[in-house]
Amino acid sequence: MRTFRILLSKELRSFFLSPIAYVVLALVMLFNGVAFYASVRILQTAPSEGSLVTWTFNSPWFYLSYFTIFPLITMRLFSEEQKLGTIETLLTAPVRTTEMIFSKYVATVIFYCVLWLPSLLNFYVFQWITRGMADIPTGQLIGSYTIVLTMGLFNIAIGCFASSLTKNQIVAAILSFSMILLHFLLGAFMLYLSGQSNQQYAELTSYFASIQHIKSFASGLIDTRPIIYYLSFTALVLSLTHQVLDFRRWKV
């Protein structure tokens, strides 16, 4: 546990002392701010069944930030170690592969959560400005950030795996983006097919369609099945990362 804390502290410093981290934070704040502003404008234009929360988390700007975050925050995790040659030092040191992976993974998850804090603050500031007249359902807010966190755990694991495969950060970012986009499009394609098929197939696609998960949770419907789905595949992808690094350890 002590080794894990030391490694975690090192990874957190590398995140928060890096100028790239603040560039990513500014970029995410920009996208989320535009999504929030666009949602407010929609509600000002005409009455709507959707709330400020549902419009914000179903905005194209939200998806733009969603696909941008993960390659940027995960591309350097293992690729940089391999490029600098420090991965051999870690692999030959009395450090378990599990500790090395989880220290980088947990540090990335912490930074990922920090990225979303300003967007959460937007809702409370808006409610304070409107003196509570704006309807911001607590259930929808909890559901939205629950699915954002759960899907983030899965996508960060994909980024870790992609970064462990190459020493080039750009290649790692492209691999991560491609796998995340492929998973998203596969779910969207299956969702489209479910509209042409029977109800039984439609229920099956609800496990895979990320866009459907976001819509459901943003409307306040918190379903444990997508949570179990993402957590299970997070464990699977992290185990694959473990296998890749263990293979490198034996080669060293």
Side-chain angles (χ1 to χ4, degrees):
M1 184 60 70
R2 180 174 178 272
T3 304
F4 171 76
R5 288 198 300 267
I6 293 172
L7 292 173
L8 177 61
S9 176
K10 169 184 172 294
E11 293 300 325
L12 286 174
R13 285 197 302 272
S14 68
F15 267 115
F16 290 100
L17 296 179
S18 169
I20 298 178
Y22 295 96
V23 172
V24 175
L25 177 60
L27 190 64
V28 173
M29 289 177 62
L30 174 64
F31 288 151
N32 288 331
V34 173
F36 187 84
Y37 175 75
S39 302
V40 173
R41 294 293 297 171
I42 290 172
L43 294 177
Q44 284 180 332
T45 303
S48 172
E49 294 182 357
S51 68
L52 183 61
V53 178
T54 55
W55 279 111
T56 299
F57 285 92
N58 287 283
S59 167
W61 290 98
F62 164 76
Y63 287 104
L64 186 59
S65 64
Y66 173 83
F67 288 114
T68 303
I69 290 175
F70 303 106
L72 293 178
I73 66 176
T74 60
M75 64 181 184
R76 52 161 290 279
L77 291 179
F78 295 103
S79 298
E80 187 177 45
E81 300 277 7
Q82 296 181 58
K83 182 179 179 180
L84 297 177
T86 54
I87 189 71
E88 285 78 11
T89 304
L90 280 174
L91 293 176
T92 55
V95 177
R96 296 177 181 175
T97 307
T98 305
E99 292 175 328
M100 181 171 60
I101 293 173
F102 272 96
S103 63
K104 291 180 177 293
Y105 179 75
V106 173
T108 310
V109 170
I110 292 173
F111 180 69
Y112 174 74
C113 292
V114 171
L115 291 178
W116 286 100
L117 287 178
S119 68
L120 178 61
L121 190 62
N122 287 340
F123 293 100
Y124 290 103
V125 170
F126 183 75
Q127 198 167 36
W128 174 72
I129 292 174
T130 58
R131 298 180 180 179
M133 296 180 64
D135 182 25
I136 301 179
T138 304
Q140 293 183 2
L141 206 58
I142 293 174
S144 299
Y145 283 94
T146 298
I147 195 62
V148 164
L149 174 61
T150 308
M151 293 173 64
L153 296 176
F154 171 60
N155 291 323
I156 290 171
I158 290 179
C160 287
F161 176 65
S163 185
S164 69
L165 296 175
T166 176
K167 64 174 65 176
N168 190 309
Q169 294 187 35
I170 303 301
V171 173
I174 294 173
L175 283 174
S176 174
F177 176 80
S178 300
M179 287 188 281
I180 293 170
L181 182 62
L182 181 62
H183 174 265
F184 184 86
L185 292 179
L186 179 62
F189 179 68
M190 294 182 68
L191 189 64
Y192 169 77
L193 290 181
S194 69
Q196 316 297 322
S197 187
N198 55 38
Q199 183 63 28
Q200 183 179 2
Y201 184 75
E203 292 179 357
L204 178 63
T205 59
S206 65
Y207 284 100
F208 305 97
S210 297
I211 190 170
Q212 184 63 39
H213 299 158
I214 294 172
K215 287 182 178 179
S216 297
F217 277 70
S219 64
L221 298 175
I222 299 178
D223 189 355
T224 57
R225 292 175 298 176
I227 295 175
I228 295 173
Y229 168 77
Y230 287 114
L231 293 181
S232 300
F233 274 90
T234 297
L236 175 62
V237 176
L238 287 177
S239 67
L240 293 176
T241 307
H242 188 282
Q243 294 298 321
V244 171
L245 293 176
D246 257 358
F247 176 74
R248 292 185 182 277
R249 183 187 291 272
W250 285 108
K251 285 181 66 176
V252 173

